[in-house]
Amino acid sequence: MVGKSTASMIIRETCVAIWDALHAAVMAQPHKEQWKEIADVFQKTCQFPNCAGAIDGKHIRIKKPVQSGSQYYNYKKYFSFVLFAVCDANYSFRYIDVGSYGSRLDSAVFAHSEFGKMLLDKALDLPDHTTLPGTTSPAMPFVFVADEAFALGENLMRPYSSRGLSIARRVFNYRLTRVRRVVECAFGILANKWRFLHTPIHLKLETAISAVKAPCVLHNFVRARDGYNFEDSQPFPAESSSQCCAWPQTRCTSAGAVYRIFYVATWGVTVAVGSHLKMVDILCLC
């Protein structure tokens, strides 16, 4: 029989070794050409151009850490830390941040993450601005797609509020949701393959964090090994969120609002002729 402390040490050392061995190989920061390749796949599968990734957070259930108060107690009424991830169109993680307080909102986790700071400082080596397909101007930035919990920015797109939307804005929300569901599906694939993520993790906090980071790189390794072919399913509507944003301190930036309007204007031309059709028919055409 192996003692609990020995087993815990073996788990921690194994997970750390897996992360150290695979992280640089399967989760390295993309360069400019790789960002373009990711955007091309999103354009092909989700009809959303200039998209470099989808971002979201997942709560990992844990036992209450010692002397942590309510820092890890989330709005879902259990103790957790946050797995924040950036995902490409092949359901692979391009960046993860693991271990933030469960009481924090996804937007706050993003704001304090290395990825959020690099995006704000324009240090991600994103491609230069380019026009949307079928247009000649203006040049549009490459963006990441998030849900309503995040603030609108030059390189961060979020959906419109669901009230009183025009047809073009509903198409924008629909296409944005097709991108955003990719990261949610990636979390589902991850948890269903490593099923301990469906249950509370009864390990010390540091060991639990390592135990989550290791499956993330293994997830990428398996997808790269087995290939990315998949049968896409019917998209589903976006869920509303009551979380508020912490990055930046306003709900949107003027640049982000302008770029979102250009997306809507571009797709508005697509649906203008058939605006008398039912919404489901318009979405099928797009």
Side-chain angles (χ1 to χ4, degrees), residues 12-81:
R12 181 176 66 254
E13 292 180 352
T14 302
C15 291
V16 170
I18 291 173
W19 171 262
D20 291 341
L22 294 179
H23 174 245
V26 301
M27 205 181 289
Q29 179 179 325
H31 52 70
K32 187 171 296 186
E33 292 302 319
Q34 289 176 322
W35 287 124
K36 288 182 180 179
E37 293 174 2
I38 293 172
D40 289 342
V41 180
F42 271 120
Q43 166 65 12
K44 179 180 178 181
T45 59
C46 302
Q47 291 75 55
F48 199 106
N50 289 23
C51 179
I55 66 176
D56 202 2
K58 174 179 173 61
H59 285 275
I60 305 297
R61 190 188 293 262
I62 58 173
K63 69 175 183 179
K64 181 181 181 297
V66 177
Q67 297 181 345
S68 63
S70 60
Q71 289 177 321
Y72 290 93
Y73 193 70
N74 64 34
Y75 70 97
K76 297 180 179 181
K77 311 300 182 184
Y78 60 81
F79 291 96
S80 68
F81 59 73

Side-chain angles (χ1 to χ4, degrees), residues 169-205:
R169 290 189 176 188
R170 291 170 69 185
V171 171
F172 172 84
N173 279 5
Y174 165 80
R175 292 192 179 183
L176 185 142
T177 300
R178 294 188 67 180
V179 176
R180 188 169 58 82
R181 68 176 180 143
V182 171
V183 66
E184 297 175 353
C185 290
F187 286 143
I189 295 170
L190 176 74
N192 284 329
K193 187 174 289 291
W194 286 273
R195 301 191 67 83
F196 75 93
L197 296 174
H198 284 302
T199 61
I201 301 177
H202 294 281
L203 296 171
K204 292 181 179 179
L205 182 61

Side-chain angles (χ1 to χ4, degrees), residues 36-272:
K36 288 182 180 179
E37 293 174 2
I38 293 172
D40 289 342
V41 180
F42 271 120
Q43 166 65 12
K44 179 180 178 181
T45 59
C46 302
Q47 291 75 55
F48 199 106
N50 289 23
C51 179
I55 66 176
D56 202 2
K58 174 179 173 61
H59 285 275
I60 305 297
R61 190 188 293 262
I62 58 173
K63 69 175 183 179
K64 181 181 181 297
V66 177
Q67 297 181 345
S68 63
S70 60
Q71 289 177 321
Y72 290 93
Y73 193 70
N74 64 34
Y75 70 97
K76 297 180 179 181
K77 311 300 182 184
Y78 60 81
F79 291 96
S80 68
F81 59 73
V82 177
L83 164 60
F84 171 79
V86 181
C87 189
D88 65 22
N90 292 316
Y91 304 101
S92 295
F93 300 117
R94 291 295 180 165
Y95 171 86
I96 61 170
D97 180 274
V98 186
S100 295
Y101 297 138
S103 60
R104 280 185 173 179
L105 305 177
D106 288 347
S107 55
V109 175
F110 166 71
H112 290 86
S113 69
E114 181 183 354
F115 177 84
K117 295 174 182 177
M118 292 179 68
L119 181 62
L120 190 62
D121 295 337
K122 301 186 183 301
L124 287 177
D125 194 27
L126 292 175
D128 297 332
H129 291 25
T130 184
T131 57
L132 298 181
T135 65
T136 57
S137 65
M140 300 281 284
F142 282 74
V143 299
F144 295 88
V145 164
D147 59 23
E148 294 175 349
F150 295 82
L152 183 64
E154 180 179 350
N155 299 108
L156 191 63
M157 287 289 114
R158 64 186 293 270
Y160 282 97
S161 174
S162 58
R163 297 181 180 179
L165 294 180
S166 64
I167 294 294
R169 290 189 176 188
R170 291 170 69 185
V171 171
F172 172 84
N173 279 5
Y174 165 80
R175 292 192 179 183
L176 185 142
T177 300
R178 294 188 67 180
V179 176
R180 188 169 58 82
R181 68 176 180 143
V182 171
V183 66
E184 297 175 353
C185 290
F187 286 143
I189 295 170
L190 176 74
N192 284 329
K193 187 174 289 291
W194 286 273
R195 301 191 67 83
F196 75 93
L197 296 174
H198 284 302
T199 61
I201 301 177
H202 294 281
L203 296 171
K204 292 181 179 179
L205 182 61
E206 296 78 7
T207 306
I209 291 173
S210 296
V212 172
K213 292 169 69 175
C216 289
V217 291
L218 287 173
H219 167 89
N220 282 11
F221 175 80
V222 171
R223 292 200 63 77
R225 183 196 64 184
D226 296 345
Y228 299 126
N229 294 327
F230 59 91
E231 186 71 24
D232 199 7
S233 59
Q234 291 294 326
F236 50 84
E239 296 180 357
S240 61
S241 172
S242 59
Q243 297 179 346
C244 61
C245 176
W247 182 91
Q249 295 300 318
T250 57
R251 290 303 296 171
C252 69
T253 63
S254 57
V258 170
Y259 288 131
R260 186 167 65 173
I261 289 172
F262 283 131
Y263 272 107
V264 172
T266 301
W267 293 332
V269 174
T270 302
V271 300

